[in-house]
Amino acid sequence: MIDLVDEGYVERVLELVEQVPPGRVTTYGSVAAVVGGGPRQVGSVMARYGGPVPWWRVVRADGTLPPSHDDRARAAYLAEGTPLRDGSGALDMRRAFWDPATGD
C-alpha cells in the first residue's frame, strides 16, 4: 500500500489526472498502471487531494463514479462534450476512454 503522506506519489497522480483531455475519461486502474500502486490508492489520493484537478475525468472501470458525484460530474461531461450512451446517459467508455499509458 502506498503511504498517502508520500507527496511525490500524490503529485504524480494529480499531474496525470490534469493531462486527461476535456471530453475524455480514464480509470483509477489506468492511472495506477502508470504511477504505481493500485486503483484504491489512486482513489484515496483523489478523495483527499483531487478537488483542484478535473476529478470527474477519473472513473471506475465500469465507467461510473460514486453516486454522490453524479450531478456535478454529469454537468462537466455535458459541458465538455464527453461521449455518453444513448438512452442511459452513462459514459460511453469505448469512445470516451483516454489511456494515460499511451496518451490516446
XYZ file of all heavy atoms in Angstrom:
786
model
N 0.847 -1.192 0.000
C 0.000 0.000 0.000
C 0.886 1.247 0.000
O 1.902 1.297 0.663
C -0.902 -0.017 1.218
C -1.843 1.141 1.241
S -3.190 0.786 2.383
C -3.843 2.383 2.574
N 0.454 2.245 -0.730
C 1.189 3.499 -0.822
C 0.842 4.367 0.390
O -0.317 4.546 0.735
C 0.817 4.263 -2.114
C 1.090 3.402 -3.346
C 1.526 5.588 -2.196
C 2.538 3.094 -3.578
N 1.851 4.893 1.032
C 1.648 5.813 2.148
C 1.194 7.153 1.579
O 1.890 7.758 0.765
C 2.969 5.964 2.904
C 2.853 6.884 4.102
O 1.746 7.379 4.380
O 3.887 7.086 4.750
N 0.014 7.604 1.986
C -0.530 8.833 1.410
C 0.232 10.087 1.813
O -0.023 11.147 1.266
C -2.008 8.976 1.753
C -2.906 8.036 0.957
C -4.359 8.271 1.320
C -2.717 8.196 -0.529
N 1.172 9.981 2.732
C 1.997 11.144 3.004
C 3.132 11.235 1.988
O 3.916 12.161 2.031
C 2.544 11.149 4.453
C 1.403 11.203 5.441
C 3.433 9.961 4.713
N 3.214 10.268 1.089
C 4.203 10.305 0.017
C 3.773 11.377 -0.980
O 2.989 11.133 -1.889
C 4.303 8.933 -0.665
C 5.325 8.913 -1.787
O 5.823 9.976 -2.200
O 5.615 7.798 -2.265
N 4.276 12.578 -0.745
C 3.872 13.717 -1.565
C 4.218 13.513 -3.039
O 3.510 13.992 -3.915
C 4.502 15.000 -1.041
C 3.948 15.409 0.306
C 4.588 16.684 0.835
O 5.222 17.425 0.057
O 4.435 16.933 2.042
N 5.301 12.801 -3.307
C 5.678 12.527 -4.694
C 4.622 11.705 -5.400
O 4.282 11.976 -6.558
N 4.084 10.702 -4.721
C 3.033 9.869 -5.315
C 1.771 10.692 -5.557
O 1.181 10.637 -6.643
C 2.728 8.671 -4.408
C 1.678 7.763 -4.986
C 1.991 6.884 -6.012
C 0.369 7.786 -4.520
C 1.023 6.052 -6.558
C -0.601 6.962 -5.053
C -0.269 6.094 -6.073
O -1.233 5.279 -6.622
N 1.377 11.457 -4.566
C 0.198 12.311 -4.709
C 0.383 13.239 -5.902
O -0.510 13.384 -6.747
C -0.062 13.117 -3.414
C -1.131 14.184 -3.625
C -0.438 12.180 -2.273
N 1.537 13.851 -6.007
C 1.808 14.777 -7.108
C 1.749 14.068 -8.457
O 1.199 14.604 -9.422
C 3.175 15.434 -6.902
C 3.389 16.677 -7.718
C 2.386 17.785 -7.416
O 1.945 17.933 -6.268
O 2.031 18.517 -8.362
N 2.296 12.866 -8.544
C 2.265 12.108 -9.816
C 0.835 11.794 -10.236
O 0.479 11.926 -11.407
C 3.095 10.827 -9.710
C 4.580 11.080 -9.680
C 5.403 9.814 -9.849
N 5.097 8.757 -8.891
C 5.606 8.650 -7.670
N 6.456 9.578 -7.224
N 5.283 7.638 -6.881
N 0.018 11.393 -9.271
C -1.384 11.106 -9.585
C -2.080 12.362 -10.092
O -2.720 12.354 -11.149
C -2.125 10.532 -8.350
C -3.634 10.504 -8.587
C -1.612 9.144 -8.005
N -1.942 13.458 -9.356
C -2.644 14.687 -9.737
C -2.139 15.240 -11.068
O -2.937 15.726 -11.885
C -2.513 15.728 -8.626
C -3.133 15.325 -7.278
C -2.926 16.422 -6.252
C -4.595 14.946 -7.411
N -0.847 15.153 -11.305
C -0.306 15.624 -12.588
C -0.852 14.795 -13.745
O -1.165 15.341 -14.808
C 1.217 15.573 -12.578
C 1.846 16.674 -11.763
C 3.366 16.569 -11.674
O 3.960 15.619 -12.239
O 3.954 17.433 -11.012
N -0.976 13.495 -13.551
C -1.512 12.655 -14.621
C -2.981 12.960 -14.875
O -3.417 13.069 -16.022
C -1.324 11.173 -14.279
C -1.735 10.206 -15.382
C -0.917 10.440 -16.649
C -1.566 8.783 -14.913
N -3.756 13.157 -13.811
C -5.168 13.483 -13.963
C -5.335 14.800 -14.725
O -6.229 14.928 -15.561
C -5.880 13.523 -12.593
C -7.289 14.086 -12.707
C -5.895 12.125 -11.970
N -4.459 15.743 -14.492
C -4.530 17.021 -15.211
C -4.289 16.852 -16.709
O -4.675 17.707 -17.503
C -3.525 18.012 -14.629
C -3.941 18.526 -13.273
C -2.937 19.480 -12.666
O -1.718 19.284 -12.851
O -3.385 20.419 -11.982
N -3.669 15.753 -17.107
C -3.385 15.511 -18.525
C -4.557 14.899 -19.282
O -4.558 14.881 -20.512
C -2.172 14.590 -18.664
C -0.894 15.202 -18.183
C 0.253 14.212 -18.241
O 0.317 13.356 -19.108
N 1.162 14.331 -17.288
N -5.564 14.392 -18.560
C -6.718 13.797 -19.236
C -7.430 14.913 -20.003
O -7.829 15.919 -19.416
C -7.681 13.124 -18.230
C -8.881 12.521 -18.962
C -6.956 12.073 -17.402
N -7.562 14.752 -21.326
C -8.160 15.832 -22.120
C -9.637 16.065 -21.789
O -10.345 15.117 -21.417
C -8.028 15.333 -23.565
C -7.045 14.213 -23.528
C -7.119 13.636 -22.148
N -10.108 17.291 -21.936
C -11.536 17.556 -21.783
C -12.337 16.651 -22.721
O -11.920 16.384 -23.856
C -11.691 19.023 -22.189
C -10.330 19.610 -21.958
C -9.356 18.502 -22.270
N -13.458 16.158 -22.228
C -14.298 15.284 -23.037
C -13.871 13.832 -23.030
O -14.454 13.008 -23.718
N -12.849 13.501 -22.257
C -12.356 12.123 -22.156
C -12.289 11.728 -20.689
O -12.287 12.586 -19.802
C -10.959 12.005 -22.776
C -10.829 12.491 -24.206
C -11.482 11.607 -25.249
N -10.921 10.278 -25.356
C -9.844 9.962 -26.080
N -9.191 10.895 -26.755
N -9.414 8.706 -26.126
N -12.232 10.433 -20.424
C -12.096 9.927 -19.061
C -11.070 8.808 -19.046
O -10.754 8.215 -20.076
C -13.439 9.393 -18.494
C -14.464 10.513 -18.383
C -13.976 8.233 -19.318
N -10.554 8.535 -17.869
C -9.684 7.390 -17.653
C -10.153 6.703 -16.382
O -11.088 7.162 -15.728
C -8.200 7.804 -17.593
O -7.388 6.637 -17.743
C -7.859 8.553 -16.328
N -9.513 5.606 -16.023
C -9.936 4.857 -14.842
C -8.883 4.936 -13.750
O -7.709 5.211 -14.009
C -10.182 3.379 -15.192
O -8.949 2.784 -15.604
C -11.234 3.239 -16.275
N -9.316 4.650 -12.534
C -8.392 4.606 -11.407
C -7.288 3.593 -11.683
O -6.117 3.839 -11.419
C -9.124 4.225 -10.114
C -10.141 5.248 -9.679
C -11.501 5.049 -9.901
C -9.743 6.405 -9.030
C -12.439 5.980 -9.490
C -10.681 7.350 -8.608
C -12.025 7.125 -8.849
O -12.943 8.056 -8.441
N -7.651 2.444 -12.242
C -6.671 1.411 -12.546
C -5.681 1.828 -13.610
O -4.496 1.482 -13.534
N -6.126 2.573 -14.601
C -5.229 3.042 -15.656
C -4.234 4.057 -15.121
O -3.069 4.061 -15.508
C -6.030 3.647 -16.807
O -6.829 2.664 -17.419
N -4.687 4.904 -14.228
C -3.774 5.854 -13.584
C -2.753 5.076 -12.761
O -1.547 5.331 -12.833
C -4.536 6.876 -12.709
C -3.571 7.742 -11.903
C -5.442 7.753 -13.581
N -3.225 4.093 -11.996
C -2.329 3.294 -11.158
C -1.302 2.546 -11.998
O -0.150 2.392 -11.582
C -3.140 2.309 -10.321
N -1.686 2.087 -13.180
C -0.757 1.356 -14.038
C 0.414 2.238 -14.456
O 1.515 1.743 -14.707
C -1.483 0.825 -15.274
N 0.205 3.531 -14.510
C 1.264 4.461 -14.911
C 2.075 4.938 -13.711
O 3.303 4.982 -13.761
C 0.674 5.663 -15.682
C 1.732 6.717 -15.955
C 0.043 5.190 -16.989
N 1.405 5.306 -12.626
C 2.113 5.926 -11.494
C 2.481 4.936 -10.394
O 3.234 5.278 -9.493
C 1.315 7.103 -10.890
C 1.057 8.179 -11.924
C 0.033 6.635 -10.246
N 1.941 3.735 -10.445
C 2.200 2.742 -9.412
C 1.054 2.648 -8.442
O 0.084 3.398 -8.505
N 1.171 1.689 -7.528
C 0.093 1.468 -6.579
C -1.047 0.737 -7.244
O -0.866 0.028 -8.229
N -2.221 0.908 -6.703
C -3.411 0.262 -7.245
C -4.552 1.251 -7.342
O -4.429 2.399 -6.908
N -5.674 0.803 -7.907
C -6.825 1.700 -8.063
C -7.306 2.313 -6.747
O -7.693 3.481 -6.720
C -7.905 0.795 -8.656
C -7.171 -0.349 -9.254
C -5.914 -0.516 -8.466
N -7.245 1.554 -5.673
C -7.709 2.096 -4.378
C -6.802 3.213 -3.888
O -7.274 4.186 -3.300
C -7.804 0.990 -3.342
C -8.953 0.058 -3.628
C -9.025 -1.052 -2.620
N -10.027 -2.004 -3.020
C -10.975 -2.458 -2.222
N -11.030 -2.043 -0.985
N -11.846 -3.324 -2.666
N -5.506 3.074 -4.113
C -4.573 4.131 -3.704
C -4.832 5.399 -4.520
O -4.834 6.503 -3.984
C -3.123 3.674 -3.857
C -2.688 2.688 -2.807
C -3.130 1.258 -3.114
O -3.405 0.911 -4.251
N -3.192 0.439 -2.095
N -5.063 5.219 -5.817
C -5.386 6.382 -6.657
C -6.689 7.005 -6.175
O -6.798 8.233 -6.067
C -5.460 5.985 -8.143
C -6.004 7.135 -8.994
C -4.094 5.540 -8.657
N -7.687 6.173 -5.876
C -8.953 6.687 -5.362
C -8.784 7.454 -4.066
O -9.416 8.492 -3.862
N -7.907 6.965 -3.194
C -7.651 7.672 -1.935
C -7.012 9.030 -2.182
O -7.374 10.021 -1.545
C -6.744 6.832 -1.037
O -7.424 5.685 -0.591
N -6.067 9.073 -3.101
C -5.445 10.357 -3.451
C -6.505 11.303 -4.001
O -6.581 12.470 -3.603
C -4.302 10.172 -4.468
C -3.850 11.514 -5.028
C -3.132 9.438 -3.824
N -7.342 10.805 -4.906
C -8.360 11.665 -5.498
C -9.353 12.155 -4.450
O -9.750 13.319 -4.475
C -9.085 10.918 -6.619
C -8.201 10.606 -7.819
S -7.466 12.069 -8.561
C -8.931 12.924 -9.129
N -9.723 11.284 -3.525
C -10.680 11.678 -2.484
C -10.106 12.747 -1.563
O -10.809 13.665 -1.154
C -11.090 10.452 -1.670
N -8.820 12.652 -1.268
C -8.205 13.584 -0.313
C -7.645 14.840 -0.956
O -7.631 15.898 -0.344
C -7.102 12.877 0.454
C -7.648 11.813 1.357
C -6.586 11.149 2.166
N -7.219 10.149 3.022
C -6.607 9.112 3.506
N -5.326 8.913 3.267
N -7.244 8.255 4.264
N -7.133 14.714 -2.170
C -6.392 15.829 -2.787
C -6.903 16.233 -4.172
O -6.364 17.152 -4.771
C -4.907 15.461 -2.916
C -4.276 14.986 -1.644
C -4.047 13.630 -1.425
C -3.905 15.878 -0.645
C -3.460 13.176 -0.251
C -3.325 15.433 0.536
C -3.105 14.088 0.727
O -2.532 13.646 1.889
N -7.903 15.555 -4.702
C -8.293 15.732 -6.098
C -9.180 16.903 -6.420
O -9.484 17.142 -7.583
N -9.612 17.665 -5.425
C -10.518 18.784 -5.675
C -10.058 19.774 -6.722
O -10.849 20.205 -7.565
N -8.777 20.160 -6.753
C -8.327 21.173 -7.710
C -8.115 20.657 -9.143
O -7.927 21.443 -10.043
C -6.981 21.649 -7.150
C -6.913 21.151 -5.749
C -7.788 19.953 -5.692
N -8.142 19.342 -9.342
C -7.922 18.783 -10.683
C -9.263 18.303 -11.244
O -10.241 18.194 -10.507
C -6.877 17.637 -10.663
C -5.528 18.150 -10.147
C -7.353 16.450 -9.853
N -9.338 17.976 -12.531
C -10.611 17.525 -13.114
C -10.961 16.093 -12.672
O -10.869 15.133 -13.437
C -10.368 17.633 -14.615
C -8.894 17.537 -14.785
C -8.297 18.132 -13.545
N -11.366 15.955 -11.433
C -11.634 14.660 -10.807
C -12.685 13.851 -11.540
O -12.668 12.629 -11.518
C -12.053 14.857 -9.344
C -13.177 15.818 -9.185
C -13.082 17.159 -8.923
C -14.573 15.542 -9.319
N -14.333 17.729 -8.887
C -15.265 16.756 -9.127
C -15.309 14.392 -9.590
C -16.651 16.846 -9.199
C -16.688 14.475 -9.659
C -17.345 15.690 -9.464
N -13.636 14.511 -12.208
C -14.718 13.817 -12.907
C -14.202 13.018 -14.105
O -14.910 12.177 -14.640
C -15.796 14.800 -13.356
C -15.268 15.862 -14.274
C -15.211 15.811 -15.647
C -14.711 17.124 -13.900
N -14.654 16.958 -16.140
C -14.333 17.796 -15.088
C -14.486 17.758 -12.680
C -13.743 19.054 -15.085
C -13.905 19.005 -12.691
C -13.537 19.647 -13.873
N -12.972 13.261 -14.500
C -12.390 12.530 -15.618
C -11.750 11.215 -15.200
O -11.199 10.501 -16.033
C -11.360 13.406 -16.334
C -11.984 14.643 -16.955
C -10.961 15.459 -17.700
N -11.511 16.753 -18.051
C -10.795 17.840 -18.225
N -9.476 17.792 -18.092
N -11.368 18.976 -18.537
N -11.809 10.870 -13.914
C -11.301 9.587 -13.420
C -12.492 8.816 -12.869
O -13.162 9.275 -11.939
C -10.222 9.771 -12.336
C -9.658 8.416 -11.920
C -9.104 10.680 -12.835
N -12.751 7.644 -13.448
C -13.945 6.880 -13.123
C -13.584 5.434 -12.802
O -12.454 4.995 -13.026
C -14.968 6.932 -14.283
C -15.414 8.366 -14.541
C -14.392 6.316 -15.554
N -14.545 4.700 -12.317
C -14.368 3.265 -12.092
C -14.229 2.567 -13.443
O -14.612 3.108 -14.484
C -15.574 2.711 -11.349
C -15.747 3.283 -9.964
C -17.027 2.762 -9.360
N -17.219 3.296 -8.015
C -18.404 3.435 -7.451
N -19.500 3.092 -8.096
N -18.488 3.917 -6.226
N -13.745 1.340 -13.399
C -13.536 0.569 -14.637
C -14.824 0.394 -15.432
O -14.784 0.309 -16.664
C -12.918 -0.789 -14.315
N -15.971 0.394 -14.753
C -17.231 0.251 -15.484
C -17.762 1.596 -15.984
O -18.851 1.680 -16.548
C -18.279 -0.461 -14.632
C -18.734 0.343 -13.419
O -18.241 1.473 -13.193
O -19.595 -0.167 -12.678
N -16.996 2.656 -15.772
C -17.376 3.967 -16.277
C -18.236 4.778 -15.329
O -18.775 5.806 -15.721
N -18.365 4.346 -14.094
C -19.208 5.077 -13.157
C -18.372 5.798 -12.107
O -17.222 5.479 -11.875
C -20.188 4.128 -12.424
O -19.439 3.194 -11.635
C -21.085 3.396 -13.395
N -19.000 6.777 -11.486
C -18.461 7.492 -10.341
C -19.304 7.141 -9.130
O -20.427 6.660 -9.279
C -18.563 9.005 -10.566
C -17.559 9.661 -11.481
C -18.035 11.048 -11.848
C -16.212 9.736 -10.801
N -18.800 7.392 -7.929
C -19.668 7.220 -6.769
C -20.927 8.068 -6.946
O -20.866 9.182 -7.480
C -18.814 7.743 -5.608
C -17.410 7.604 -6.087
C -17.457 7.833 -7.570
N -22.102 7.554 -6.539
C -23.358 8.289 -6.743
C -23.334 9.723 -6.219
O -23.989 10.596 -6.780
C -24.394 7.449 -5.979
C -23.811 6.079 -5.950
C -22.312 6.268 -5.900
N -22.569 9.991 -5.183
C -22.532 11.347 -4.629
C -21.914 12.347 -5.594
O -22.066 13.551 -5.415
C -21.741 11.347 -3.316
O -20.404 10.928 -3.557
N -21.240 11.882 -6.636
C -20.593 12.763 -7.600
C -21.391 12.934 -8.892
O -21.015 13.735 -9.748
C -19.215 12.222 -7.968
C -18.229 12.260 -6.859
N -18.316 11.456 -5.750
C -17.127 13.010 -6.682
C -17.305 11.709 -4.943
N -16.573 12.647 -5.470
N -22.458 12.183 -9.061
C -23.161 12.127 -10.339
C -23.566 13.491 -10.904
O -23.287 13.785 -12.058
C -24.408 11.251 -10.244
C -24.091 9.782 -10.437
O -22.972 9.457 -10.863
O -24.984 8.958 -10.156
N -24.246 14.313 -10.118
C -24.779 15.566 -10.648
C -23.677 16.513 -11.123
O -23.755 17.055 -12.223
C -25.660 16.270 -9.613
C -26.955 15.515 -9.352
O -27.370 14.725 -10.226
O -27.544 15.714 -8.276
N -22.653 16.695 -10.296
C -21.569 17.606 -10.679
C -20.782 17.047 -11.850
O -20.384 17.784 -12.755
C -20.660 17.871 -9.481
C -21.360 18.701 -8.418
C -20.543 18.920 -7.166
N -19.183 19.348 -7.419
C -18.158 19.089 -6.623
N -18.350 18.388 -5.524
N -16.962 19.520 -6.905
N -20.545 15.741 -11.842
C -19.796 15.126 -12.935
C -20.598 15.204 -14.234
O -20.051 15.541 -15.290
C -19.466 13.678 -12.601
N -21.879 14.908 -14.185
C -22.712 14.938 -15.393
C -22.706 16.336 -16.018
O -22.600 16.476 -17.231
C -24.134 14.502 -15.082
C -25.017 14.499 -16.332
C -26.202 13.585 -16.243
N -25.984 12.298 -15.661
C -25.416 11.259 -16.276
N -24.978 11.388 -17.490
N -25.273 10.112 -15.656
N -22.774 17.364 -15.195
C -22.722 18.731 -15.721
C -21.387 18.969 -16.437
O -21.353 19.580 -17.508
C -22.917 19.741 -14.594
N -20.293 18.467 -15.864
C -18.982 18.620 -16.501
C -18.915 17.832 -17.803
O -18.380 18.312 -18.806
C -17.873 18.171 -15.548
N -19.473 16.609 -17.816
C -19.458 15.803 -19.044
C -20.223 16.501 -20.157
O -19.770 16.545 -21.296
C -20.078 14.420 -18.810
C -19.350 13.566 -17.806
C -20.052 12.708 -16.977
C -17.966 13.614 -17.668
C -19.401 11.915 -16.044
C -17.311 12.828 -16.729
C -18.034 11.974 -15.921
O -17.400 11.201 -15.009
N -21.373 17.044 -19.820
C -22.169 17.744 -20.839
C -21.437 18.990 -21.336
O -21.412 19.263 -22.541
C -23.549 18.095 -20.282
C -24.454 16.892 -19.995
C -25.708 17.346 -19.248
C -24.793 16.139 -21.270
N -20.841 19.739 -20.433
C -20.120 20.956 -20.822
C -18.917 20.640 -21.704
O -18.590 21.411 -22.611
C -19.666 21.721 -19.573
N -18.257 19.499 -21.454
C -17.058 19.135 -22.209
C -17.355 18.291 -23.444
O -16.462 18.010 -24.229
C -16.095 18.351 -21.306
C -15.526 19.178 -20.190
C -14.529 18.405 -19.337
O -14.352 17.179 -19.533
O -13.905 19.045 -18.467
N -18.609 17.862 -23.606
C -18.945 17.016 -24.741
C -18.425 15.588 -24.606
O -18.130 14.923 -25.600
N -18.320 15.101 -23.382
C -17.871 13.733 -23.153
C -18.896 12.767 -23.736
O -20.097 12.925 -23.501
C -17.715 13.470 -21.641
O -16.857 14.478 -21.093
C -17.123 12.095 -21.372
N -18.452 11.774 -24.517
C -19.406 10.829 -25.119
C -20.209 10.056 -24.068
O -19.646 9.463 -23.157
C -18.505 9.872 -25.913
C -17.268 10.640 -26.192
C -17.083 11.513 -24.976
N -21.510 10.113 -24.219
C -22.433 9.394 -23.345
C -23.217 8.396 -24.190
O -23.404 8.605 -25.397
C -23.383 10.365 -22.650
C -22.739 11.481 -21.827
C -23.805 12.445 -21.324
C -21.957 10.901 -20.662
N -23.694 7.334 -23.550
C -24.510 6.346 -24.256
C -25.920 6.877 -24.427
O -26.469 7.518 -23.531
C -24.541 5.028 -23.492
C -23.243 4.269 -23.628
C -23.370 2.911 -23.020
N -23.011 3.048 -21.612
C -23.177 2.130 -20.705
N -23.731 0.991 -21.005
N -22.810 2.334 -19.464
N -26.481 6.609 -25.595
C -27.868 6.999 -25.853
C -28.787 6.291 -24.868
O -28.564 5.141 -24.516
C -28.274 6.636 -27.285
C -27.531 7.470 -28.319
O -27.130 8.600 -27.993
O -27.352 6.995 -29.445
N -29.777 6.991 -24.436
C -30.763 6.403 -23.543
C -30.378 6.486 -22.086
O -31.003 7.196 -21.319
N -29.338 5.780 -21.688
C -28.985 5.727 -20.271
C -28.258 6.980 -19.809
O -28.294 7.326 -18.635
C -28.103 4.507 -19.985
O -26.812 4.683 -20.532
N -27.551 7.639 -20.702
C -26.765 8.803 -20.323
C -25.480 8.452 -19.607
O -24.754 9.335 -19.170
N -25.187 7.151 -19.491
C -23.934 6.719 -18.873
C -22.780 7.028 -19.811
O -22.966 7.230 -21.016
C -23.986 5.216 -18.582
N -21.580 7.049 -19.276
C -20.402 7.282 -20.111
C -20.272 6.197 -21.173
O -20.487 5.021 -20.890
C -19.139 7.284 -19.253
C -18.941 8.509 -18.382
C -17.836 8.242 -17.371
C -18.612 9.721 -19.219
N -19.925 6.595 -22.358
C -19.610 5.638 -23.426
C -18.107 5.396 -23.345
O -17.313 6.124 -23.945
C -20.008 6.211 -24.777
C -19.772 5.247 -25.924
O -18.956 4.304 -25.777
O -20.389 5.443 -26.983
N -17.708 4.401 -22.564
C -16.290 4.165 -22.309
C -15.521 3.824 -23.579
O -14.338 4.151 -23.683
C -16.119 3.065 -21.262
C -16.516 3.508 -19.863
S -15.529 4.895 -19.240
C -13.979 4.072 -18.887
N -16.155 3.197 -24.527
C -15.468 2.868 -25.778
C -14.989 4.135 -26.478
O -13.876 4.201 -26.982
C -16.396 2.055 -26.693
C -15.746 1.559 -27.962
C -16.713 0.780 -28.835
N -17.943 1.493 -29.142
C -18.050 2.466 -30.047
N -17.012 2.853 -30.736
N -19.210 3.052 -30.271
N -15.795 5.164 -26.463
C -15.437 6.417 -27.137
C -14.765 7.426 -26.219
O -13.972 8.248 -26.671
C -16.684 7.055 -27.747
C -17.280 6.227 -28.853
C -18.471 6.883 -29.523
N -18.888 8.086 -28.845
C -20.059 8.673 -28.970
N -20.962 8.181 -29.751
N -20.356 9.756 -28.312
N -15.061 7.390 -24.926
C -14.567 8.419 -24.007
C -13.229 8.067 -23.361
O -12.530 8.959 -22.884
C -15.604 8.672 -22.898
N -12.844 6.784 -23.359
C -11.659 6.367 -22.621
C -10.380 6.960 -23.198
O -10.148 6.927 -24.408
C -11.544 4.843 -22.603
C -10.340 4.358 -21.846
C -10.286 4.456 -20.468
C -9.252 3.838 -22.512
C -9.171 4.026 -19.756
C -8.129 3.396 -21.817
C -8.093 3.488 -20.446
N -9.549 7.496 -22.307
C -8.218 8.007 -22.643
C -7.213 7.174 -21.869
O -7.314 7.038 -20.653
C -8.105 9.476 -22.259
C -6.793 10.098 -22.549
C -6.365 10.563 -23.755
C -5.729 10.378 -21.615
N -5.094 11.090 -23.626
C -4.679 10.977 -22.320
C -5.576 10.144 -20.256
C -3.516 11.379 -21.717
C -4.399 10.532 -19.652
C -3.378 11.137 -20.379
N -6.256 6.593 -22.583
C -5.273 5.720 -21.954
C -4.046 6.538 -21.566
O -3.313 7.002 -22.435
C -4.873 4.608 -22.926
C -3.967 3.567 -22.300
O -3.433 3.805 -21.196
O -3.804 2.514 -22.928
N -3.808 6.718 -20.262
C -2.668 7.529 -19.852
C -1.318 6.904 -20.201
O -0.314 7.601 -20.264
C -2.833 7.659 -18.338
C -3.691 6.535 -17.931
C -4.567 6.207 -19.119
N -1.289 5.609 -20.453
C -0.021 4.951 -20.810
C 0.411 5.326 -22.218
O 1.612 5.414 -22.499
C -0.161 3.438 -20.693
N -0.564 5.592 -23.095
C -0.229 5.909 -24.483
C -0.574 7.346 -24.862
O -0.156 7.828 -25.916
C -0.989 4.977 -25.444
O -2.402 5.202 -25.309
C -0.661 3.526 -25.176
N -1.366 8.004 -24.026
C -1.796 9.372 -24.344
C -2.882 9.405 -25.391
O -3.132 10.430 -26.023
N -3.577 8.283 -25.570
C -4.651 8.225 -26.565
C -5.872 7.568 -25.996
O -5.896 6.566 -25.415
C -4.180 7.466 -27.802
C -5.203 7.505 -28.909
O -5.888 8.513 -29.064
O -5.325 6.487 -29.617
